[in-house]
């Protein structure tokens, strides 16, 4: 029996060695322990997308993606300022996360089956429901995407945007010439200078670019067509369920706070609330925080230091002229539906 067991064990070891690396189960990471030992969360963000992630005139990072990172730091470390923001290009963002150069990625990144199934990554939620659009110069006379046959189109490589663009033109039997540039500022300059007729990206990113043009914003027209679904949100490595849960529930906590009417300004007025959902949210009853692996006041820290989802939106997205729309809570006609915190 012993010899048979030894033979079987050896055969299994040889089989495991013969499997590709992606088929073997790596030892689970402990991102939470690494972050606590480091004293800071490493968060990959877009280098310059106003409203989502961009440094202001003082070098302070601002945006809804930036605040999503800060919410996780508030939950995990008790301090929303303990984040190091790492600019991540579209080409390098996934490699940076896979290699451990960053702990999480919040970079207007679309949740797709292919990315989750093949890259060893998991999407922890959606902080912005978006869709791909087209921006043209107003003096072109183009008012609909169906008139873009033969256009040159500025697009970033390695994105769902590039794939959607090809699908849309093929479906509508139109021709186009891509102008492919990875660096977003170079891409925008190409559009400004007339190297391409059209700039395509997530509609929110196009609105962000247009708003940043100041007096020149009226030169550009965002066409009405939205050609794709682009659920954007935080991404983490697979194999670390504790960190995944903290990231996911940090976002849900902001949505739940909005649902309950709790803001960074009025939080103190809820201390005497008899609402069981409020009491659990504040950590006054139950052990939800400890079950998650953080302090029981983790949700309080998020809202106190970063705000609820509505506050985050008003601070970052409203100035771009983008309406909440489908990004509203479920009970206001939107898609955001946080699971119960109980």
């Amino acid at each position: 029996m012993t010899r048979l067991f030894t033979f079987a064990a050896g055969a299994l070891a040889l089989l495991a060695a013969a499997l590709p690396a992606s088929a073997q189960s790596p030892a689970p990471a402990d991102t939470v322990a690494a972050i606590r030992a480091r004293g800071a969360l490493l968060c990959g963000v877009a280098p310059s997308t106003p409203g989502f992630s961009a440094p202001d005139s003082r070098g302070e990072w601002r945006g809804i993606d930036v605040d999503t990172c800060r919410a996780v730091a508030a939950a995990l470390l008790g301090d929303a300022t303990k984040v190091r923001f790492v600019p991540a290009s579209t080409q390098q963002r996934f490699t940076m996360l896979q290699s451990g150069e960053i702990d999480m990625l919040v970079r207007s990144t679309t949740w797709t089956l292919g990315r989750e199934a093949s890259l060893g990554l998991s999407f922890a939620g959606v902080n912005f429901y978006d869709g791909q659009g087209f921006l043209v110069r107003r003096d072109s006379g183009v008012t609909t995407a169906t008139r873009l046959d033969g256009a040159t189109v500025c697009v970033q490589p390695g994105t769902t945007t590039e794939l959607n663009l090809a699908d849309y033109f093929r479906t509508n039997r139109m021709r186009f010439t891509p102008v492919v540039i990875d660096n977003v500022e170079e891409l925008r300059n190409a559009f400004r200078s007339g190297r391409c007729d059209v700039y395509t990206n997530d509609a929110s990113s196009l609105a962000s670019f247009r708003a940043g043009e100041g007096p020149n914003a009226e030169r550009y027209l965002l066409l009405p067509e939205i050609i794709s679904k682009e659920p954007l949100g935080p991404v983490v490595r697979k194999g670390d369920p504790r960190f995944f849960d903290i990231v996911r529930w940090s976002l849900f906590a902001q949505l739940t706070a909005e649902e309950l009417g709790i803001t960074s300004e009025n939080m103190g007025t809820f201390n005497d609330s008899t609402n069981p959902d409020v009491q659990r949210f504040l950590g006054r009853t139950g052990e939800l925080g400890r079950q998650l692996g953080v302090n029981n006041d983790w949700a309080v820290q998020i809202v106190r230091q970063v705000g609820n989802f509505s506050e985050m939106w008003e601070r970052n997205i409203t100035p771009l002229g983008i309406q909440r729309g489908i990004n509203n809570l479920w009970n206001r006609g939107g898609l955001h539906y946080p699971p119960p915190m109980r």
Side-chain angles (χ1 to χ4, degrees):
M1 179 67 73
T2 302
R3 292 179 60 191
L4 179 60
F5 175 80
T6 303
F7 174 79
L12 286 172
L14 288 172
L15 177 60
L19 288 171
S22 60
Q24 299 183 46
S25 298
D30 192 343
T31 309
V32 171
I35 293 168
R36 284 176 171 155
R38 189 191 304 125
L41 171 73
L42 302 180
C43 200
V45 295
S48 181
T49 304
F52 288 82
S53 57
D56 62 16
S57 59
R58 298 178 301 172
E60 184 78 15
W61 284 90
R62 305 289 182 190
I64 194 170
D65 289 345
V66 166
D67 282 348
T68 300
C69 300
R70 289 193 172 117
V72 174
L76 184 52
L77 299 173
D79 188 341
T81 67
K82 292 185 176 180
V83 185
R84 297 178 196 166
F85 296 102
V86 183
S89 71
T90 55
Q91 295 285 66
Q92 297 298 320
R93 56 184 165 170
F94 296 127
T95 303
M96 291 170 69
L97 183 56
Q98 291 165 330
S99 68
E101 186 176 344
I102 54 178
D103 301 314
M104 60 184 288
L105 175 70
V106 196
R107 193 205 177 283
S108 298
T109 298
T110 302
W111 186 351
T112 70
L113 185 153
R115 285 173 171 173
E116 210 166 61
S118 65
L119 298 179
L121 306 175
S122 292
F123 285 77
V126 176
N127 71 344
F128 197 101
Y129 289 97
D130 210 345
Q132 185 172 335
F134 298 102
L135 193 70
V136 298
R137 282 177 288 278
R138 197 176 291 274
D139 61 12
S140 69
V142 174
T143 58
T144 173
T146 58
R147 294 185 57 191
L148 293 178
D149 190 25
T152 54
V153 184
C154 277
V155 61
Q156 285 184 288
T159 61
T160 56
T161 306
E162 191 177 23
L163 299 174
N164 295 334
L165 174 66
D167 287 347
Y168 180 78
F169 273 79
R170 185 183 303 112
T171 299
N172 288 278
R173 298 182 179 181
M174 296 190 299
R175 297 169 295 106
F176 76 99
T177 301
V179 177
V180 182
I181 302 173
D182 183 38
N183 183 280
V184 68
E185 285 306 318
E186 292 179 14
L187 186 75
R188 291 168 177 171
N189 284 333
F191 176 60
R192 290 187 187 101
S193 67
R195 278 185 60 191
C196 49
D197 306 309
V198 187
Y199 174 24
T200 188
N201 208 327
D202 294 340
S204 62
S205 181
L206 298 177
S208 171
F209 162 74
R210 184 175 180 275
E213 293 297 283
N216 293 326
E218 289 305 310
R219 294 183 181 181
Y220 305 109
L221 176 67
L222 187 59
L223 298 183
E225 288 84 359
I226 298 295
I227 67 169
S228 69
K229 295 185 295 184
E230 306 294 329
L232 313 177
V235 195
V236 299
R237 290 180 292 275
K238 282 185 178 176
D240 193 348
R242 185 163 65 136
F243 184 57
F244 173 86
D245 286 347
I246 292 170
V247 173
R248 175 169 61 179
W249 282 97
S250 293
L251 176 58
F252 287 157
Q254 289 185 290
L255 291 165
T256 299
E258 181 181 0
E259 202 173 56
L260 293 171
I262 301 173
T263 72
S264 60
E265 299 295 328
N266 70 13
M267 178 172 288
T269 67
F270 284 84
N271 288 337
D272 297 325
S273 172
T274 58
N275 183 330
D277 289 331
V278 170
Q279 288 296 303
R280 281 189 290 266
F281 185 89
L282 298 178
R284 292 174 176 271
T285 61
E287 297 289 330
L288 295 180
R290 290 188 178 89
Q291 291 168 11
L292 197 58
V294 294
N295 291 334
N296 258 13
D297 70 343
W298 65 284
V300 170
Q301 296 303 327
I302 290 174
V303 177
R304 180 176 291 151
Q305 299 181 49
V306 184
N308 68 20
F309 191 85
S310 178
E311 290 178 281
M312 188 167 67
W313 182 279
E314 292 296 323
R315 182 166 58 241
N316 299 301
I317 305 301
T318 296
L320 301 179
I322 299 175
Q323 302 298 313
R324 277 288 292 265
I326 59 174
N327 282 286
N328 254 311
L329 291 176
W330 63 280
N331 52 9
R332 295 175 193 159
L335 297 178
H336 284 298
Y337 188 104
M341 289 179 61
R342 64 170 70 106

